[in-house]
Amino acid sequence: MNDLRACWRLVRVLGHIFKGLVIVALRFPALSPDQQYARVQAWSMELLARAGVSLRIIGTPPVTGPVMLVANHLSWLDIPVMHAARHCRFVSKSDVQAWPLIGTLATAAGTLYIERNSRRDALRMVRSMHEALQRGEVLAVFPEGTTGDGRAMLPFHANLLQAAVTADAFVQPVGLHFADKVTGETSFAPSYIGDETLVGSIWRTLRAPAIEAVVHYGVPEQAQGRDRRAWTQHLHDTVDRLRRG
């Protein structure tokens, strides 16, 4: 039964991905950025539905920028979940750009790419993020730098927060959580950690009973004189509370 459910969902998801690629190739060039972002949000919501994932939003997403969303990182699902809740431009590791299909869609969604092992590229990214915030955009980062197991959060890296400090922009903490929609218990089906493959994680998610993705928005805040590291630790603790709430 689980395998039949997964196969049906997979067919629907692949069809939706193909539809997204067609839209990006044929329609995106004629759309304004706001129209593109609206399409990304609607496409992401439909992707979740086809994968058997519903969305619950707690708190208030940002209406406009400049603001940087800071969230915990659990799964490959995190990005479409956050796009479905409120479109934002993600900062992602550069190898995502080369992923088949996903890289094309991520680039169309406005993703900013960073070479994590290059200090020079990190400085370039901070400048790019600063400029995006000055333009009034909504950015999103996963300061853990990689996915966790959903049980305990990894430490936050403070470097990407520098753009919010220099731009004097608001940062809004966001807690992500996946739950079994029937029992309410935490679902680890979408997890993507360690030596797991992306294909394996996707298949496990598609085989799972209905999942509810919870996006819990906290209160936007500014540095208010805190240095980057102190602010980062405060945001880590806040996101940790939100994801548990």
Side-chain angles (χ1 to χ4, degrees), residues 182-231:
V182 175
T183 67
E185 297 293 326
T186 297
S187 174
F188 297 102
S191 66
Y192 179 35
I193 58 173
D195 294 330
E196 290 183 317
T197 64
L198 177 61
V199 172
S201 176
I202 292 173
W203 182 249
R204 186 174 58 246
T205 302
L206 296 177
R207 291 185 78 250
I211 294 172
E212 182 177 65
V214 182
V215 184
H216 193 166
Y217 291 93
V219 178
E221 58 182 68
Q222 290 176 292
Q224 296 179 322
R226 290 170 291 191
D227 65 41
R228 187 179 67 182
R229 294 189 182 279
W231 193 17

Side-chain angles (χ1 to χ4, degrees), residues 54-75:
S54 61
L55 179 67
R56 180 158 66 100
I57 298 174
I58 303 173
T60 305
V63 177
T64 60
V67 63
M68 182 187 296
L69 303 178
V70 171
N72 58 308
H73 200 9
L74 299 166
S75 168

